[in-house]
Amino acid sequence: MGDAAPLLEVRELTRHFRVGKAQVRAVDGVSFAVAPGDTLALVGESGCGKTTTARLILQLDEPTAGEIRLDGRDLRQLDRAGLRQFRNDVQAVFQDPWSSLNPRMRVREIVAETLICNQRLGRKELDRQVDAALTAVGLRPDHARNYPHEFSGGQRQRVAIASALISRPRLLVLDEPVSALDVSIRSQIMNLFKDLQAEFGMSYVIVAHDLGTTRYMADQIAVMYLGRIVEIGPSEEIFEAPKHPYTKALLAAALPSHPDTPHDREELAGEIPSPLEPPPGCHFHPRCPAFIGPVCETDYPDLDPVEGAGARRVACHLYRGAAVG
Ligand code: SF4
């Protein structure tokens, strides 16, 4: 991230749920910032809290504690006009274009919906903006007359992107935006996201379960495990030299194996524990190939800067002696 004031700031974000007598710490003190025009990826296995974090940013859910700021404004303080502006400024594209598009609506109505809800525009201007949004995502203006079932999966995702784009958002939250698509068209859609970002200067928060799909798009990566960020930093640094044992394991899983490659991979053993009963100490310790002793079982490591690791912060006792700042 550059020196620009962040567009999005998330501070100590926390979301706990009650399940019977137990408490699930779905998101547990997560902090990060995204600069204008930058992309941050939230990465981790299911149950790590990345989707809940995205829902909190989208105001589809309320945090138990912590704050979210867009352009310095605390989302909890927004009045009606501020909320309307938020709905224009922050849009989402979800994993499954089938479930996110109303099958009974024509593409024109789907794409125009945000503008109809949040802005008062005449028919001609609406049509002009729908045409522009469809063109921007590589569809034709005459596609506006069609229904979602008349499109392929990739085209439906383009319709979903056009409908997110039409209000000229400043932040797009992308929840596994290509994982439901055929492998053959994933790179087309990822290219489209890159091109749209270059053209419109939007910031992205991408939610993804594997590191592979984020490499191409993310400036920053935040790796989450059982509700917390365990490593965060510039994407290139993380791909070149991951620090946290969990990041190393995720990366090993994302890379194709080759018989000639020296086998220094740290494989991920066992299942992710239930967030209802996260292991004490470092939550990753039952699966950690680098476990260093009782401290891992008793003390949760802080997310600290690590010497010689650039702008990275890592939550692991392996680096505690080398923490800086
Ligand atoms: Fe592994 Fe211990 Fe580091 Fe946790 S704190 S990741 S258990 S070495």
Side-chain angles (χ1 to χ4, degrees):
M1 192 174 73
D3 295 331
L7 174 69
L8 175 73
E9 270 181 287
V10 170
R11 293 186 194 155
E12 290 299 321
L13 192 65
T14 300
R15 178 68 169 103
H16 295 169
F17 299 96
R18 282 234 151 263
V19 177
K21 287 186 179 162
Q23 194 174 49
V24 179
R25 295 167 174 263
V27 177
D28 206 13
V30 160
S31 302
F32 56 80
V34 186
D38 266 15
T39 298
L40 173 122
L42 295 169
V43 181
E45 292 163 290
S46 64
C48 73
K50 58 189 191 299
T51 298
T52 305
T53 304
R55 287 177 53 81
L56 292 167
I57 294 169
L58 289 166
Q59 297 215 290
L60 299 173
D61 191 7
E62 279 194 26
T64 310
E67 61 185 44
I68 302 170
R69 289 177 178 268
L70 191 73
D71 248 346
R73 296 174 74 193
D74 187 335
L75 299 192
R76 291 169 302 189
Q77 316 291 336
L78 296 182
D79 56 14
R80 280 173 77 113
L83 266 177
R84 204 174 312 123
Q85 187 61 44
F86 175 84
R87 303 269 170 238
N88 274 321
D89 284 346
V90 182
Q91 290 284 322
V93 176
F94 295 102
Q95 176 176 9
D96 182 359
W98 260 129
S99 59
S100 63
L101 303 179
N102 185 334
R104 292 192 195 86
M105 285 165 76
R106 289 183 195 271
V107 162
R108 179 189 178 279
E109 297 164 291
I110 292 170
V111 173
E113 202 173 16
T114 318
L115 290 187
I116 292 168
C117 293
N118 296 320
Q119 295 179 29
R120 291 200 183 91
L121 297 175
R123 165 101 198 192
K124 260 192 168 171
E125 180 56 18
L126 263 184
D127 284 346
R128 195 189 68 73
Q129 296 209 24
V130 170
D131 287 359
L134 290 175
T135 306
V137 300
L139 294 172
R140 295 190 312 270
D142 62 284
H143 281 130
R145 293 196 294 271
N146 295 89
Y147 289 93
H149 72 266
E150 297 174 85
F151 293 98
S152 68
Q155 285 177 318
R156 278 197 295 271
Q157 196 61 313
R158 287 176 193 267
V159 172
I161 297 166
S163 85
L165 208 64
I166 197 161
S167 66
R168 294 291 172 96
R170 303 177 65 204
L171 174 68
L172 269 190
V173 177
L174 310 175
D175 188 357
E176 305 269 11
V178 297
S179 56
L181 302 176
D182 276 1
V183 174
S184 58
I185 51 172
R186 284 182 191 174
S187 60
Q188 285 177 24
I189 297 294
M190 289 203 290
N191 280 333
L192 174 62
F193 281 122
K194 289 280 274 187
D195 292 347
L196 293 172
Q197 189 172 46
E199 187 174 348
F200 299 113
M202 292 171 287
S203 302
Y204 292 153
V205 171
I206 308 178
V207 168
H209 65 276
D210 73 301
L211 274 164
T213 48
T214 63
R215 175 164 207 169
Y216 177 66
M217 289 187 62
D219 301 293
Q220 268 194 100
I221 290 179
V223 179
M224 292 187 70
Y225 192 78
L226 286 178
R228 298 193 184 190
I229 292 176
V230 296
E231 179 162 5
I232 183 167
S235 169
E236 277 314 306
E237 288 182 15
I238 287 183
F239 274 98
E240 269 163 36
K243 291 286 180 191
H244 195 283
Y246 180 60
T247 314
K248 291 183 186 184
L250 276 187
L251 197 54
L255 295 173
S257 59
H258 191 282
D260 298 338
T261 310
H263 206 78
D264 59 353
R265 292 177 169 196
E266 299 193 32
E267 302 290 351
L268 197 51
E271 293 292 309
I272 190 165
S274 162
L276 270 173
E277 284 180 77
C282 169
H283 297 337
F284 188 55
H285 83 254
R287 304 171 82 189
C288 181
F291 180 84
I292 51 174
V295 67
C296 296
E297 296 169 320
T298 54
D299 294 359
Y300 194 91
D302 290 334
L303 186 64
D304 281 330
V306 169
E307 200 175 311
R312 212 102 51 92
R313 286 180 296 139
V314 183
C316 174
H317 293 302
L318 279 173
Y319 305 100
R320 211 155 67 159
V324 292

